[in-house]
């Protein structure tokens, strides 16, 4: 309720110190609404990570005339693997490796990659001014890899949605707290709507 009262999707999620030269990662691109809003406001360089073929194709077509946008057809995790994604029949943005709830009968085989490798193959050691992560439970595996590899130090602002309702994830609150304990070594929480969205800004 507080998130919607504060109009978080059109305020907190878009208010950053970005320029036309900034680098942004949209991890879990879905239909590209957030990316489009960021482009409309700042026109930065954007890398979109999207594992589901339907949405990868949609994103590729949507941004095909924008040479500052790169769409990559994979998901991220703590290792490279092939995984089965359950495609949510009611909330398609909830498609995930970890949401085998009743009614999720449609599945798709997707490629998952270590995000540290994705970073190395795209921007190398350059600063990532903003990274948004919304990957339906995958954050509990990807974030430790990003932190332990020290790639977290390349990220100025991290906007992330932690999920507590993935049927195949045990103790999500405890896992989130452990990630927080590591994040505070390099970043500070600048705003938080628990298990909705939160933002971490790199320490100066």
């Amino acid at each position: 309720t507080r998130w919607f009262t504060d109009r978080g999707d059109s305020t907190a999620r878009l208010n950053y110190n970005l320029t036309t030269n900034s680098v942004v990662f949209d991890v879990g691109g879905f239909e590209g609404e957030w990316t489009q809003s960021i482009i409309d406001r700042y026109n930065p360089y954007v890398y979109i990570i999207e594992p589901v073929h339907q949405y990868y194709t949609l994103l590729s077509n949507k941004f095909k005339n924008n040479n500052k946008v790169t769409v990559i057809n994979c998901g991220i995790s703590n290792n490279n693997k092939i995984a089965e994604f359950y495609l949510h029949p009611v909330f398609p943005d909830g498609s995930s490796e970890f949401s085998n709830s009743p009614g999720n009968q449609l599945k798709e085989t997707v490629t998952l990659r270590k995000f540290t490798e994705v970073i190395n193959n795209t921007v190398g050691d350059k600063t990532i001014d903003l990274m948004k992560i919304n990957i339906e439970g995958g954050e509990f595996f990807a974030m430790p890899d990003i932190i332990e590899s020290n790639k977290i130090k390349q990220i100025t602002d991290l906007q992330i949605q932690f999920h507590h309702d993935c049927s195949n994830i045990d103790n999500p609150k405890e896992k989130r707290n452990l990630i927080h304990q590591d994040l505070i070594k390099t970043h500070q929480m600048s705003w938080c709507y628990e298990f909705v969205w939160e933002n971490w800004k790199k320490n100066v």
Side-chain angles (χ1 to χ4, degrees):
T1 300
R2 184 167 64 92
W3 176 256
F4 290 113
T5 299
D6 293 347
R7 299 175 58 246
D9 284 315
S10 58
T11 55
R13 295 193 65 208
L14 302 179
N15 292 337
Y16 291 93
N17 185 25
L18 301 177
T19 71
T20 57
N21 292 319
S22 295
V23 173
V24 174
F25 271 79
D26 183 356
V27 183
F30 187 45
E31 295 180 340
E33 291 183 6
W34 182 81
T35 285
Q36 186 63 65
S37 295
I38 289 290
I39 289 172
D40 291 343
R41 186 172 291 203
Y42 305 105
N43 191 30
Y45 293 90
V46 184
Y47 295 85
I48 308 177
I49 311 298
E50 176 51 56
V52 178
H53 183 73
Q54 174 186 347
Y55 302 117
Y56 165 75
T57 300
L58 184 153
L59 291 164
S60 296
N61 290 330
K62 183 182 183 78
F63 298 110
K64 64 182 179 182
N65 295 320
N66 188 336
N67 61 11
K68 297 181 75 173
V69 177
T70 301
V71 186
I72 302 171
N73 189 199
C74 72
I76 67 168
S77 189
N78 58 342
N79 54 55
N80 298 326
K81 64 179 181 178
I82 303 299
E84 292 291 328
F85 261 40
Y86 298 93
L87 308 182
H88 201 291
V90 178
F91 304 106
D93 57 340
S95 299
S96 169
E97 181 184 6
F98 306 105
S99 293
N100 184 18
S101 57
N104 284 19
Q105 302 301 321
L106 295 177
K107 293 193 294 185
E108 179 177 325
T109 302
V110 303
T111 298
L112 300 182
R113 296 172 60 192
K114 285 172 66 73
F115 194 51
T116 51
E117 292 187 9
V118 175
I119 293 175
N120 287 335
N121 292 334
T122 51
V123 298
D125 294 327
K126 292 181 180 177
T127 295
I128 299 170
D129 299 281
L130 171 60
M131 185 164 76
K132 163 240 165 184
I133 298 182
N134 183 9
I135 51 176
E136 306 300 322
E139 65 275 7
F140 295 113
F141 300 89
M143 282 304 302
D145 175 54
I146 295 169
I147 293 168
E148 291 166 11
S149 67
N150 281 326
K151 288 296 182 182
I152 189 66
K153 295 179 180 178
Q154 288 180 233
I155 302 166
T156 302
D157 273 288
L158 171 67
Q159 178 188 131
I160 184 167
Q161 184 173 90
F162 286 98
H163 295 79
H164 61 80
D165 55 353
C166 295
S167 56
N168 295 345
I169 299 288
D170 294 326
N171 303 315
K173 191 164 187 175
E174 179 180 333
K175 287 181 169 64
R176 174 175 174 262
N177 288 339
L178 290 173
I179 292 172
H180 280 186
Q181 289 175 26
D182 287 329
L183 274 174
I184 60 175
K185 298 173 184 177
T186 56
H187 289 64
Q188 58 183 333
M189 183 185 285
S190 51
W191 50 261
C192 177
Y193 296 75
E194 187 174 9
F195 283 107
V196 180
W197 284 103
E198 59 193 65
N199 194 85
W200 291 78
K201 182 173 287 292
K202 186 178 178 182
N203 297 328
V204 177

